[in-house]
Amino acid sequence: LERTFSIIKPDATRRNLTGKINAMLEDAGLRIIAQKRIRMTQEQAETFYGVHKERAFFPDLVKFMTSGPVVVQVLEGEGAVLKNREVMGATNPANAEDGTIRKLFGESVEANSAHGSDSPENAAIEIAYFFAGAEIV
Ligand code: ATP
Ligand code: MG
């Protein structure tokens, strides 16, 4: 079974949406095999979003991701990477399909409630950055 890395972002934890988002993930056939609520450090946010460091929105994005607690997760299921991205919807909530996490809950292209890995390769890197092997069960 494939694994992907997911984050419930600060805009969603602030509005107490963790349970609703987890229900959507589980209803889609994804199993939450690791999960913890953390406050991301500036260094973690900068490293995690390192591919975007030349983008104009990078400083704001780091500020947002460290603005409150996040829930980091490992999800497992058939085609988990794509399935999770389907459940999340498009990056910009305005462009997201009806019934997706970002359409239902996203506040803006930045505060879009959820992150999901974009490939199995990146999923492995992102999972290893936040979880020890023994935490994934
Ligand atoms: P994610 O990586 O969170 O799954 P994504 O892959 O759909 O989202 P990316 O293009 O990788 O989107 O951007 C990473 C994150 O950076 C987005 O989820 C969003 O929070 C933020 N972001 C992307 N584009 C913009 C933008 N134009 N303005 C502000 N924030 C942005
Ligand atoms: Mg991305």
Side-chain angles (χ1 to χ4, degrees):
L1 284 178
E2 194 168 84
R3 290 177 176 185
T4 192
F5 177 74
S6 161
I7 304 177
I8 301 176
K9 293 185 179 184
D11 65 287
T13 62
R14 190 179 295 126
R15 286 174 289 149
N16 220 14
L17 294 170
T18 299
K20 286 200 172 77
I21 290 173
N22 278 350
M24 290 174 72
L25 299 171
E26 291 183 338
D27 286 348
L30 294 162
R31 186 177 299 276
I32 302 164
I33 60 171
Q35 171 168 260
K36 56 190 173 188
R37 181 169 152 114
I38 62 168
R39 182 76 179 251
M40 247 193 227
T41 65
Q42 169 133 350
E43 192 195 327
Q44 282 174 320
E46 285 174 351
T47 302
F48 182 75
Y49 280 120
V51 295
H52 295 306
K53 65 173 178 290
E54 308 303 335
R55 308 287 293 276
F57 63 77
F58 180 75
D60 254 23
L61 178 60
V62 169
K63 200 169 162 192
F64 165 64
M65 290 300 292
T66 57
S67 68
V70 300
V71 177
V72 292
Q73 307 175 307
V74 181
L75 309 178
E76 186 178 77
E78 219 168 282
V81 168
L82 257 177
K83 189 172 277 182
N84 181 39
R85 291 182 77 83
E86 280 172 17
V87 179
M88 285 195 300
T91 306
N92 187 341
N95 302 329
E97 297 281 331
D98 282 349
T100 61
I101 291 168
R102 285 163 165 173
K103 181 66 160 203
L104 282 168
F105 304 129
E107 298 180 313
S108 67
V109 64
E110 175 180 85
N112 60 2
S113 303
H115 163 81
S117 308
D118 58 16
S119 67
E121 294 70 32
N122 282 334
I125 292 166
E126 293 173 2
I127 289 167
Y129 188 62
F130 285 102
F131 288 97
E135 292 180 298
I136 304 168
V137 295

